[in-house]
């Protein structure tokens, strides 16, 4: 079961919050931590 009370944010809020030392993306208003690229994707 997935939590249903996750706070959604705007793009402006995401850009203000986003740290420089990790990779994050905004998906449908939710923050998703991305793994570091490996191999040819670096």
């Amino acid at each position: 079961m997935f939590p249903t009370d996750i706070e959604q944010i705007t793009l402006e809020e995401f850009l203000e919050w986003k740290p420089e030392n990790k990779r994050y993306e905004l998906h449908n208003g939710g923050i998703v931590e991305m793994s570091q690229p490996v191999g040819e994707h670096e």
Side-chain angles (χ1 to χ4, degrees):
M1 178 179 280
F2 294 101
T4 57
D5 59 345
I6 295 174
E7 179 182 349
Q8 292 191 337
I9 64 170
T10 65
L11 176 60
E12 290 79 19
E13 291 170 323
F14 173 74
L15 293 174
E16 191 174 299
W17 166 86
K18 185 178 178 266
E20 295 296 323
N21 60 348
K22 288 197 174 187
R23 299 172 58 95
Y24 292 92
E25 291 185 0
L26 185 64
H27 288 268
N28 296 320
I31 297 171
V32 178
E33 185 175 359
M34 306 303 290
S35 60
Q36 293 296 322
V38 295
E40 295 179 17
H41 297 284
E42 279 188 88

